[in-house]
Structure formats: structure tokens, C-alpha cells
């Protein structure tokens, strides 16, 4: 199985400041069709997860533009340009290139 | 409006079997895979498997292989996950989700808590 490794696992941030989460995969996530199926999910406390980013850098509907994704191959990053109070929660990367799909361990974002 | 609606919490004894439904509405059921994701208390997300409602084909994570069965009933637009030989380690919230890897289509159920306790 592809192992997804996130860092940091805990991220205290100041409101209005940027935040960045790294995700590395144990093998390339480039699929045979040329696409890279790397997703980012947000899980707010007590809620179901929701996807923020698909195919590395594409925002899902309704996702604020302060969220952005980047990367290629095995190294990926989620950035929040200016953290807001509603961004508190756990963020997961997930690869959908290889079966089985696998998640990272999660990064807990909290306000300092 | 797309909705995935799951059933309420379940309490099961060790060794029992649980079957959780996920009722889908708002899109054509056979157009998207249904995934199931496990989240143990205070832990992260773990992909369990998926079903293609169009033909019933399934893919399971190795951890659950042999104990899990995911099915789809196209007459009721409902997907199911069935987990057998339950142990305390199966105590978790189980989410159904429809996730399209290639376009902005991602919807989740509200989750079903399964508690395994004697």
C-alpha cells in the first residue's frame, strides 16, 4: 500500500497568519493517464470530512481561495494563506492513484 | 441536492455482524462509486473499500478483506457495508462517501457509530 506521511501532525497558528502542511507519498502518485490523484480533506470537530482539493491543486466547489494545493510526484503541500477561526480541524491528504486509497495521519490545526 | 443518509448508532457484541445502509439521493446512483471510510475514536481516517453501483464490483482494503462486504441496491439507491466477526477494534464511526477523483464532486454521509462491547 502507498504510505502517506504528513507533517507536522500538530500546527498551532495565529489568526490571519499563513499555514502549510506537507504530505509525502511512498511512491509516485502520477497515474497512467498523466493525472496525479492527490486530495486534501478537512474535518472540522464533530463533522464529516469534506474535500478541499482534488488532483493536487483544484479547489472543490465552495472552498475559499485562501486554500491552495501544490506539488508533484511524491511531495505535496496544502497552504492556507490567512488562517480563520473556521479553519480549525484536522487536515488529511489522500491518494486516489493506487488501490487501496490511503490517507495521511492527519494534521491538527488549532489557533494559538 | 446530493445527500447520503446513514442509519443511527449501533451497539454490537463481539463476534456479531453489523450492516450499515447509506441512502443516496440527488444524483444518478449508478454514476459514482460509493466509498466507506472508518474512523476509530480519536483516530484518523482509514479507507475500507468501495462499490461500483453500476455492476456491483468491489475493491477492499487488505485490512478488512475477508470480513467486509460492500453492496449496492439499485432498486433503492442504497449502499451497504457489512462487517463480520466484530471485535472492540471495530468500534468506530463509519462514513459512506461519493468521491470523484477527477472533478469537484465530493459528498459524505453523517457517519454511523458502531460500538462493539460485551
Amino acid at each position: 500500500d502507498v504510505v502517506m506521511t504528513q507533517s507536522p501532525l500538530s500546527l498551532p497558528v495565529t489568526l490571519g497568519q499563513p499555514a502549510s502542511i506537507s504530505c509525502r507519498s511512498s511512491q509516485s502518485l502520477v497515474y497512467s493517464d498523466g493525472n496525479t490523484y492527490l486530495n486534501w480533506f478537512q474535518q472540522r470537530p464533530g463533522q464529516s470530512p469534506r474535500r478541499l482539493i482534488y488532483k493536487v491543486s483544484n479547489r472543490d466547489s465552495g472552498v475559499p481561495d485562501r486554500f491552495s494545493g501544490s506539488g508533484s510526484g511524491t511531495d505535496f503541500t496544502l497552504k492556507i494563506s490567512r488562517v480563520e477561526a473556521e479553519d480549525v480541524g484536522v487536515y488529511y491528504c489522500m491518494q486516489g492513484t493506487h488501490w487501496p486509497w490511503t490517507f495521511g495521519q492527519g494534521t491538527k490545526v488549532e489557533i494559538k | 441536492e446530493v445527500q447520503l443518509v446513514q442509519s443511527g448508532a449501533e451497539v454490537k457484541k463481539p463476534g456479531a455482524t453489523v450492516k450499515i445502509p447509506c441512502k443516496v439521493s440527488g444524483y444518478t446512483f449508478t454514476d459514482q462509486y460509493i466509498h466507506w471510510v472508518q474512523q476509530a475514536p480519536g483516530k484518523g481516517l482509514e479507507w475500507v473499500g468501495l462499490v461500483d453501483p453500476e455492476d456491483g464490483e468491489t475493491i477492499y482494503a487488505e485490512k478488512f478483506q475477508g470480513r467486509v462486504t460492500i453492496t449496492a441496491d439499485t432498486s433503492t439507491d442504497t449502499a451497504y457495508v457489512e462487517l463480520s466477526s466484530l471485535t472492540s477494534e471495530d468500534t468506530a464511526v463509519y462514513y459512506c462517501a461519493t468521491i470523484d477523483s477527477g472533478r469537484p464532486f465530493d459528498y459524505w454521509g453523517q457517519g454511523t457509530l458502531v460500538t462493539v462491547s460485551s
Side-chain angles (χ1 to χ4, degrees), chain A residues 43 48 51 54 60 99 101, chain B residues 35 39 50 100 103-104 106 109:
Chain A
Q43 188 175 30
S48 300
R51 193 175 63 182
Y54 66 98
D60 272 279
W99 298 115
W101 288 10
Chain B
H35 300 258
Q39 187 169 38
L50 67 81
D100 190 313
R103 65 185 180 105
D106 167 74

Side-chain angles (χ1 to χ4, degrees), chain B residues 30-78:
Chain B
T30 52
D31 281 354
Q32 299 288 331
Y33 297 163
I34 296 290
H35 300 258
W36 288 90
V37 174
Q38 179 196 61
Q39 187 169 38
K43 302 296 184 182
L45 303 174
E46 186 155 16
W47 188 80
V48 175
L50 67 81
V51 62
D52 181 351
E54 185 168 43
D55 59 13
E57 286 207 9
T58 53
I59 301 176
Y60 301 127
E62 189 171 350
K63 171 183 175 179
F64 301 97
Q65 195 90 30
R67 284 203 306 130
V68 68
T69 305
I70 299 175
T71 55
D73 183 345
T74 57
S75 69
T76 59
D77 289 355
T78 302

